[in-house]
Amino acid sequence: MCKFELSQEQIEFLKKEYSENNLIQKVLETEKNKVFEVDVDTKIDFMDFVEDESIYWMDEDYEATPKTIMLESIRDTIYYQTN
């Protein structure tokens, strides 16, 4: 199992932007006081998804957009806490 904590801003972003995404909802369902606990496979899938999404939301000049910045902050937060 992998445990990590996200800020309220990060959690609200995921809830708002990915309310229809099954993987994100699966992770969000594990929240207890901003702490999440998921199995290793779910963590890997989640991190891959966040990475892909952060690239997808870059602008036409491959510059970071606000969505890219938030997704990268989520990815980095989880990475630093779990590695």
Side-chain angles (χ1 to χ4, degrees), residues 63-77:
E63 296 293 326
T65 64
K67 282 186 180 182
T68 299
I69 293 167
M70 179 59 80
L71 288 163
E72 289 176 348
S73 80
I74 293 167
R75 179 203 60 209
D76 292 349
T77 297

Side-chain angles (χ1 to χ4, degrees), residues 1-71:
M1 297 301 274
C2 296
K3 275 186 161 181
F4 56 89
E5 183 174 345
L6 296 176
S7 71
Q8 192 62 42
E9 179 184 21
Q10 292 168 326
I11 294 167
E12 292 304 319
F13 172 83
L14 291 172
K15 286 179 179 179
K16 179 183 174 206
E17 296 295 326
Y18 297 100
S19 63
E20 305 277 323
N21 183 284
N22 292 334
L23 175 60
I24 301 298
Q25 293 308 307
K26 179 179 179 178
V27 172
L28 289 173
E29 288 172 0
T30 70
E31 182 209 356
K32 291 183 181 150
N33 297 321
K34 298 188 273 184
V35 176
F36 300 82
E37 188 170 354
V38 296
D39 61 51
V40 173
D41 291 337
T42 301
K43 179 211 167 208
I44 291 169
D45 291 345
F46 181 77
M47 295 293 279
D48 287 345
F49 177 82
V50 169
E51 180 69 27
D52 290 346
E53 280 290 292
S54 70
I55 293 168
Y56 175 78
W57 287 109
M58 288 183 164
D59 70 15
E60 61 276 350
D61 296 321
Y62 296 100
E63 296 293 326
T65 64
K67 282 186 180 182
T68 299
I69 293 167
M70 179 59 80
L71 288 163

